[in-house]
Amino acid sequence: MKKTVIIGGVAGGASCAARLRRLDETAQIIIIERGDYISYANCGLPYHVGGVIPSRDALLVQTPEAMKKKFNIDVRVRNEVVSIDRDKKLVSVKRLESGEIYEESYDTLVIATGSSPLRPPIPGIQSDRIQTLWTVNDTDRIRLAVIQQHAKTAAVIGGGFIGLEMAENLRHAGLAVSIIEAAEQVMAPLDPEMAAMLHANIRENGVGLYLGDGVAAFEENDHSVTIALSSGKKVEAEIVILAIGVRPNSQLAKEAGLSLNERGGICVDESLRTSDASIYAVGDVIEVEDFTFKNHTMVPLAGPANKQGRIAADNIAGGQEIYEGTQGTSVAKVFDLAAASTGANEKTLKKLNLKKGIDYESIIITQNSHAGYYPGAVPLTLKMLFSVDGSKIFGAQIVGRDGVDKRIDTLAVAMRLGAGIRDLKNLELAYAPPFSSAKDPVNMAGFVAENVLRHLVTFSDWDLSKENNDAILLDVRENAEVAAFSLPNAVHIPLGELRGRLQELNPEKEIITFCAIGVRSYNAARILMQHGFKKVKLYPGGTRFYQSLHPQSDVSPVSATEKVSDTGDVKGQ
């Protein structure tokens, strides 16, 4: 009878144990977990803090008793593995309640020790008012401060997944909330222009947002903490949540002499074996291969951890399964918006372009979540990055209020199966007015990308400050639309009048076309290009996208007659 010891539960360890039992009824399986809970929904913890998930028990996926009854697995909580003897195939285990040390033998060992929140050496960080959210016990402490101690103010340090979810839920619980992020944007997997839409929405929901400003020090007062920022600003809060990143819990593996990468991740092969053939590792603690470019990376997500646990179990039971890499597909609710991504972002591609000469194209489109004539349609903005020959999709990002998750999942599947731009065009997706459009946003991404590859259209940069300062901004929306929101220093010629007013534009100058979402401006660009205008670009995503990036814009409409001279030159550009 083979004996497998699994260090750690939650996603990777628990899924490995359950799968191994289904494959081998005779195996002896032991899970050793230093915490109080063997398997819980850690992604749901912020929502319990905010009261969206009222029941604490709903977060507990499995209990030791249930694992024993259903799977005949020996689960030992509040037991911590303190060392691994690879030569003798023994682990030393400490019973945390008594301090007693005992040894447990293994035939196969699985390390699923996960990761822990970072607590950098910032002065004052040891204050009891400064919490992290990683376990059920963490949730209990924070809820105690919110509900029983009646805290009124909170600051979240870090604008990643956990930080944003915590900010939303603390706001939902009635607290005044600030987010402090050392980088210039929240949600690092997104590119800056996509994250900017989140920034506007966060502020609209009454949350203070400090970007590009790290924490210099904490100072605890009688009833609060003063957070001193690098800029000299100060923020007061009764509760502080640290959400600035995680580090792999790999000290045990390091002391056992297993191979680690420079970030402390355990190195594994495609079968999830470590440098010791009798030891597997899964979850946040391991280094993985990036699916798109085959680089080594660290991706602490629950979905990959569960899959890795299953693969390790198959291989322990004699299988030959391999882990084919992580795309980093993710989605998060951020107040009124959903933000999702898969694969590489443009920040990564720019670095790879410098190192490996990987060139790419990108598009940004704005589409409705479903048919515009059916009530409730709302815009979503989709960014896609792809190879210059269109054969490979490198990554995608979507921000919107509805329909974001199913579009990012469609693109993630397309990438996983090796689809290119032509395949996106040909996807036959379910359509009915309440759910989509006859040309789904994913299809539209394929159509627009093909137009770029065929040189039928060229996109401008989203940040017009990077464009030629002498460029003409041509707004082809209708008068009523311009009255509601106007572009700074733009020439306004409605699309239906454009052919008859071409003489008002200088064909020697760069022209950037605008409309609400990009459809009419594409038509305008095609008209101009076929009438001899050589420098025509399309603003990505239209004025909806532009407005989301410039929420404070209040400039007045500008008519073509006010801005165009007799020679067709645009003045004041």
Side-chain angles (χ1 to χ4, degrees):
M1 179 173 63
K2 290 184 64 176
K3 181 178 180 180
T4 297
V5 173
I6 301 171
I7 308 173
V10 196
S15 64
C16 179
R19 174 66 172 174
L20 183 56
R21 173 56 73 221
R22 287 190 289 267
L23 295 174
D24 188 351
E25 181 64 20
T26 66
Q28 183 181 0
I29 306 170
I30 302 171
I31 300 178
I32 302 175
E33 166 61 51
R34 68 181 178 183
D36 296 320
Y37 304 95
I38 184 60
S39 183
Y40 58 90
N42 49 359
C43 296
L45 299 181
Y47 299 97
H48 182 51
V49 169
V52 177
I53 300 174
S55 171
R56 181 179 184 275
D57 290 343
L59 299 172
L60 305 180
V61 180
Q62 287 283 0
T63 65
E65 295 76 19
M67 290 287 280
K68 179 65 177 178
K69 185 175 182 180
K70 293 178 182 179
F71 298 105
N72 190 28
I73 293 171
D74 181 0
V75 178
R76 303 174 190 175
V77 295
R78 294 181 290 279
N79 280 246
E80 180 179 9
V81 175
V82 294
S83 66
I84 301 169
D85 187 329
R86 292 165 51 195
D87 293 331
K88 296 181 179 179
K89 288 194 171 185
L90 292 173
V91 292
S92 296
V93 187
K94 181 179 182 180
R95 292 189 174 96
L96 296 181
E97 292 176 344
S98 67
E100 175 191 354
I101 302 290
Y102 66 94
E103 291 183 336
E104 193 70 54
S105 65
Y106 64 85
D107 295 306
T108 304
L109 186 67
V110 180
I111 300 176
T113 45
S115 57
S116 297
L118 288 171
R119 290 187 74 101
I122 299 172
I125 200 169
Q126 300 307 321
S127 167
D128 290 339
R129 291 184 178 274
I130 301 173
Q131 301 284 338
T132 57
L133 181 68
W134 206 243
T135 67
V136 176
N137 291 336
D138 295 337
T139 308
D140 294 339
R141 283 193 295 271
I142 297 169
R143 274 181 63 86
L144 177 67
V146 171
I147 296 173
Q148 296 186 17
Q149 298 173 7
H150 306 293
K152 300 297 183 185
T153 58
V156 177
I157 315 300
F161 289 96
I162 293 175
L164 294 180
E165 289 169 351
M166 277 302 301
E168 178 182 353
N169 281 280
L170 289 169
R171 189 80 182 102
H172 184 269
L175 281 71
V177 180
S178 297
I179 298 172
I180 299 167
E181 169 57 60
E184 296 292 339
Q185 67 167 82
V186 301
M187 197 70 78
L190 300 184
D191 286 315
E193 70 274 27
M194 301 297 284
M197 292 185 282
L198 301 183
H199 300 163
N201 192 255
I202 288 167
R203 292 185 174 111
E204 287 169 4
N205 279 275
V207 173
L209 185 58
Y210 299 82
L211 297 173
D213 206 354
V215 177
F218 298 101
E219 183 180 347
E220 185 171 0
N221 309 309
D222 290 340
H223 303 291
S224 66
V225 173
T226 300
I227 306 161
L229 305 185
S230 300
S231 64
K233 295 177 182 177
K234 293 186 177 181
V235 179
E236 294 282 335
E238 295 165 84
I239 304 173
V240 178
I241 306 296
L242 285 181
I244 56 178
V246 298
R247 55 177 173 77
N249 295 328
S250 58
Q251 186 63 28
L252 191 65
K254 180 180 180 180
E255 292 173 355
L258 298 177
S259 296
L260 307 182
N261 67 11
E262 60 185 18
R263 295 172 59 186
I266 300 175
C267 299
V268 295
D269 64 15
E270 62 183 10
S271 300
L272 301 174
R273 286 185 177 88
T274 68
S275 52
D276 184 319
S278 297
I279 303 177
Y280 291 77
V282 300
D284 291 6
V285 75
I286 70 169
E287 174 186 82
V288 296
E289 184 179 79
D290 165 59
F291 176 77
T292 306
F293 293 109
K294 310 307 177 187
N295 301 313
H296 290 154
T297 186
M298 304 282 290
V299 184
L301 292 172
N306 274 282
K307 296 176 182 67
Q308 292 157 11
R310 180 184 176 90
I311 289 170
D314 280 18
N315 292 332
I316 292 167
Q320 295 182 335
E321 294 293 316
I322 64 171
Y323 185 67
E324 297 182 350
T326 301
Q327 289 170 250
T329 306
S330 59
V331 64
K333 181 180 180 298
V334 185
F335 292 96
D336 308 313
L337 296 175
S341 66
T342 187
N345 57 28
E346 192 164 10
K347 292 175 289 188
T348 299
L349 289 176
K350 286 179 178 177
K351 293 176 183 177
L352 288 174
N353 184 269
L354 292 174
K355 292 180 179 179
K356 299 184 178 181
I358 295 173
D359 207 356
Y360 65 94
E361 294 281 0
S362 71
I363 61 164
I364 296 175
I365 62 172
T366 299
Q367 294 286 302
N368 282 327
S369 55
H370 59 249
Y373 57 82
Y374 187 87
V378 287
L380 58 81
T381 300
L382 186 157
K383 178 174 184 177
M384 186 171 69
L385 303 139
F386 50 97
S387 61
V388 293
D389 64 358
S391 66
K392 193 173 183 64
I393 302 166
F394 293 148
Q397 303 158 45
I398 310 177
V399 175
R401 282 177 162 79
D402 184 41
V404 169
D405 53 341
K406 73 174 181 177
R407 272 61 185 235
I408 204 69
D409 284 345
T410 303
L411 287 165
V413 170
M415 289 175 61
R416 178 65 65 164
L417 298 181
I421 297 307
R422 181 177 296 276
D423 300 298
L424 294 188
K425 289 170 41 190
N426 296 332
L427 287 180
E428 186 173 333
L429 304 171
Y431 160 60
F435 304 106
S436 185
S437 300
K439 291 183 285 190
D440 187 86
V442 173
N443 296 132
M444 289 300 299
F447 297 148
V448 173
E450 183 185 54
N451 287 340
V452 170
L453 295 175
R454 293 179 60 189
H455 306 292
L456 296 176
V457 66
T458 299
F459 280 97
S460 74
D461 195 279
W462 64 271
D463 184 357
L464 291 179
S465 66
K466 296 180 181 179
E467 294 292 324
N468 181 356
N469 290 330
D470 200 35
I472 299 171
L473 309 185
L474 176 61
D475 189 342
V476 299
R477 295 175 298 156
E478 297 302 314
N479 291 331
E481 296 174 274
V482 175
F485 174 77
S486 62
L487 293 164
N489 302 316
V491 172
H492 175 222
I493 303 177
L495 179 63
E497 301 176 18
L498 182 58
R499 289 184 179 87
R501 296 174 62 180
L502 292 176
Q503 73 281 2
E504 299 179 22
L505 301 170
N506 185 347
E508 300 303 318
K509 292 210 171 193
E510 182 175 88
I511 298 176
I512 301 173
T513 60
F514 283 81
C515 70
I517 64 171
V519 177
R520 286 171 291 173
S521 53
Y522 169 61
N523 290 330
R526 293 301 303 151
I527 291 170
L528 293 171
M529 291 170 72
Q530 293 179 81
H531 280 83
F533 290 78
K534 303 297 185 183
K535 304 174 185 177
V536 182
K537 292 183 179 179
L538 173 68
Y539 186 80
T543 56
R544 283 185 180 178
F545 184 53
Y546 179 91
Q547 191 171 7
S548 71
L549 301 178
H550 304 81
Q552 304 303 319
S553 180
D554 58 357
V555 295
S556 301
V558 178
S559 68
T561 56
E562 292 173 324
K563 295 301 291 181
V564 181
S565 70
D566 292 338
T567 61
D569 291 331
V570 178
K571 297 179 179 178
Q573 299 296 309

